[in-house]
Amino acid sequence: MVYLCGEKYLGQVATQYAQMDPDAIVVLIKDGVYLDTTPLKGKKIFAIDEDVKRRGMGERIKAKAEIIGYDALVDLVVNNKVANFT
Amino acid sequence: MGQKKVLINISDGPFGNIFYTEGLRAAVGVSAGMDENIPTVLFQADGVYYCLKDVDRTDSMAYFESMKGLGTKLYAVEEDLAARGIASDELAPDITRIPRQKAFELFKENDHNIDF
Amino acid sequence: MAKICMLLTEGPWQSENYEIFAQFTEAALDKGHEVQAFWYLDGVYNAIKHQKFPEDVPLPVERMQAVIKKGAKITACGICVNARGLEGGKEFTEGVSVGGLPDLADMLSESDTFVAL
């Protein structure tokens, strides 16, 4: 499943499910880019380019998430079930 | 087209915002289409506060009644209850406690999930 | 091509969700997917056409008009519309219809995937 994390509080809830999911794909969108991803080590993590850049988070996030645009997000959403935590 | 299973997740407690009750209105609503989708409600994180037996359900009573008629299951995540010190005897009788692992299964089993 | 259902529960000017909605919808339509959306709660404010702002910035409703023009199908919750004094959506931009939760139910039945904002 794609865990769409749109804020810190809900992102923390999503993290607990994603940890149980061997196929978890985590997407950080909006304030989700502030999420502490330490508990998600080993999971595939993406972050939305524009949301990262606007928040000046590029340097902080580049080691833990792959930066993608909306185009790639659409592909993820149509190819996987979405778990909404926005 | 086709009947879908829809998980409604409520993650905020009452009454600071309207999501606790609008989520339940949506749970009833998603069953009202041509294909009579099957809703399930999951209270998680601070949403579990709405499962307290003494909580005022006045503004959601119609939805609880409708869900009872539909046979909608209402679940609360055990770990989230425990983290907030909520004991079984404090819960409303129509709420079923489930471990997070079972809640995760609900995400997988349902075709769609909506967060409130 | 996939059928995508979206839910938008926040209005413009206070939350960035309208912008995320517009960008995601535009990207999905450009890839040839179908997008149907249900605007619920304050999400119905996104449809009001008479938006004004003192500075020269793109208005949220203009972003929405662009995705409607591209093919997004949008229904606003009628109870939410009238609860907010929007009188059946008489000031709504073209392309937003006023319906009810049974419309969301049908969108969910028809869709391959669902995104909530």
Side-chain angles (χ1 to χ4, degrees):
Chain A
M1 271 187 292
V2 166
Y3 295 79
L4 198 56
C5 302
E7 56 169 79
K8 259 177 105 166
Y9 165 68
L10 291 174
Q12 287 161 358
V13 181
T15 295
Q16 292 172 307
Y17 293 106
Q19 284 174 313
M20 294 176 177
D21 184 348
D23 304 315
I25 299 168
V26 177
V27 177
L28 310 177
I29 187 168
K30 307 192 295 168
D31 284 353
V33 304
Y34 299 132
L35 181 68
D36 175 12
T37 57
T38 314
L40 292 167
K41 206 167 178 198
K43 303 290 180 193
K44 190 74 204 159
I45 304 175
F46 296 100
I48 302 297
D49 188 26
E50 192 175 320
D51 297 355
V52 169
K53 278 189 189 148
R54 292 169 88 180
R55 288 166 176 80
M57 291 288 288
E59 285 302 311
R60 298 177 64 97
I61 214 167
K62 68 179 185 190
K64 52 187 181 184
E66 184 180 330
I67 306 300
I68 58 168
Y70 280 92
D71 198 53
L73 176 60
V74 169
D75 292 343
L76 287 173
V77 161
V78 299
N79 291 314
N80 299 277
K81 187 189 291 182
V82 181
N84 290 289
F85 291 92
T86 51
Chain B
M1 293 294 280
Q3 188 181 59
K4 296 279 170 71
K5 292 170 79 177
V6 183
L7 184 65
I8 307 290
N9 306 309
I10 296 176
S11 304
D12 280 350
F15 288 81
N17 61 44
I18 203 162
F19 293 129
Y20 69 97
T21 189
E22 289 293 350
L24 298 181
R25 181 158 77 90
V28 175
V30 300
S31 71
M34 299 275 285
D35 293 309
E36 299 179 347
N37 300 320
I38 302 166
T40 299
V41 176
L42 177 67
F43 295 96
Q44 60 183 356
D46 281 352
V48 301
Y49 284 119
Y50 202 39
C51 301
L52 290 169
K53 66 182 176 193
D54 292 334
V55 85
D56 182 352
R57 288 185 172 193
T58 308
D59 54 9
S60 304
M61 194 44 78
Y63 313 136
F64 280 107
E65 290 296 328
S66 299
M67 288 189 292
K68 198 174 169 187
L70 291 165
T72 304
K73 298 275 193 299
L74 309 174
Y75 295 112
V77 176
E78 234 163 48
E79 289 88 336
D80 293 341
L81 291 164
R84 289 157 184 80
I86 300 173
S88 287
D89 61 3
E90 292 180 271
L91 286 184
D94 51 0
I95 304 292
T96 304
R97 297 168 64 110
I98 53 167
R100 192 179 312 284
Q101 182 65 44
K102 165 75 177 156
F104 171 58
E105 299 299 327
L106 290 176
F107 275 91
K108 288 200 292 186
E109 283 165 20
N110 280 268
D111 298 293
H112 301 303
N113 58 80
I114 309 179
D115 63 321
F116 284 98
Chain C
M1 291 298 107
K3 288 188 177 184
I4 304 171
C5 175
M6 295 185 73
L7 180 73
L8 178 59
T9 55
E10 307 224 17
W13 300 119
Q14 184 151 329
S15 150
E16 66 175 331
N17 282 15
Y18 80 89
E19 203 172 347
I20 306 290
F21 175 91
Q23 294 200 79
F24 178 85
T25 302
E26 192 161 21
L29 293 168
D30 283 346
K31 282 178 165 275
H33 301 301
E34 279 180 41
V35 178
Q36 293 191 87
F38 191 74
W39 289 357
Y40 193 46
L41 309 176
D42 279 359
V44 301
Y45 285 126
N46 290 290
I48 298 173
K49 62 185 170 189
H50 304 300
Q51 294 179 6
K52 285 195 180 74
F53 197 70
E55 289 155 35
D56 185 22
V57 295
L59 296 169
V61 72
E62 292 170 351
R63 301 295 309 277
M64 297 309 190
Q65 285 162 342
V67 296
I68 291 166
K69 203 172 167 188
K70 275 198 175 200
K73 294 192 173 58
I74 294 165
T75 303
C77 163
I79 290 175
C80 309
V81 166
N82 291 330
R84 287 161 180 76
L86 303 178
E87 301 179 53
K90 67 177 186 180
E91 304 300 334
F92 279 6
T93 191
E94 206 176 318
V96 178
S97 60
V98 175
L101 281 167
D103 295 300
L104 172 63
D106 288 340
M107 288 180 198
L108 289 165
S109 315
E110 290 169 10
S111 64
D112 302 306
T113 192
F114 172 78
V115 176
L117 282 171

